[in-house]
Amino acid sequence: MIEKTYTMIKPDGVANKHIGDIVGRFERVGLTIERMELSQVSEAEAKENYAEHEGKPFYDGLIAYITSGPVVKMVVSGENAVATVRKLMGATDPAEAAPGTIRGDFGLTMDENVIHGSDSVASAEREIGVFFG
Ligand code: IDP
Ligand code: MG
């Protein structure tokens, strides 16, 4: 099914100059970049996006990290876009992420894991609303 997902290159991914490589991986499998914007995530957007993690021990650090520098926000579409982007991202913890995945290739720890991607079509719709209005 053709669907849209929300994905975001996190501040470490931008700072370490992986934008082109990551966008290239999406295009290589045939996904379409529908929207793309480099900008800073506000504290309000960060809290809305990560509401499910409020109260967890890593929550404050996560909000500080995601607002610490520019990110690249994207809407990506295609067949099974949500699952395909998650597959290309790899496991949440870069230490567990397979080589060849974005997190496996560009990350080292869970505190800076390079990229965000929606985990369902419903989350994608919500997150596109948060970040693109
Ligand atoms: P996901 O990004 O693979 O969907 P989630 O469990 O939804 O993973 O967690 C959201 C984000 O919160 C992760 O990408 C990561 O940046 C951060 N995070 C999750 N668990 C931890 C942790 O144990 N320590 C530090 N950061 C974490
Ligand atoms: Mg998640």
Side-chain angles (χ1 to χ4, degrees), residues 33-81:
I33 312 300
E34 293 217 355
R35 302 188 68 165
M36 181 157 69
E37 185 184 311
L38 184 117
S39 65
Q40 193 99 10
V41 172
S42 71
E43 191 149 323
E45 287 169 333
K47 288 181 169 167
E48 205 174 339
N49 187 55
Y50 287 120
E52 62 174 305
H53 297 297
E54 200 181 341
K56 293 184 186 169
F58 61 85
Y59 176 78
D60 288 348
L62 175 59
I63 300 301
Y65 158 50
I66 207 70
T67 58
S68 67
V71 300
V72 174
K73 310 186 289 185
M74 280 177 267
V75 177
V76 171
S77 70
E79 285 286 334
N80 299 309

Side-chain angles (χ1 to χ4, degrees), residues 4-8 35 45-46 48-53 73-75 82 85-86 89 116-133:
K4 288 182 201 221
T5 191
Y6 176 74
T7 180
M8 177 164 69
R35 302 188 68 165
E45 287 169 333
E48 205 174 339
N49 187 55
Y50 287 120
E52 62 174 305
H53 297 297
K73 310 186 289 185
M74 280 177 267
V75 177
V82 171
V85 167
R86 296 283 299 192
M89 285 164 53
H116 166 85
S118 308
D119 61 10
S120 66
V121 170
S123 301
E125 283 172 6
R126 189 179 64 79
E127 293 171 2
I128 290 167
V130 169
F131 291 104
F132 284 105

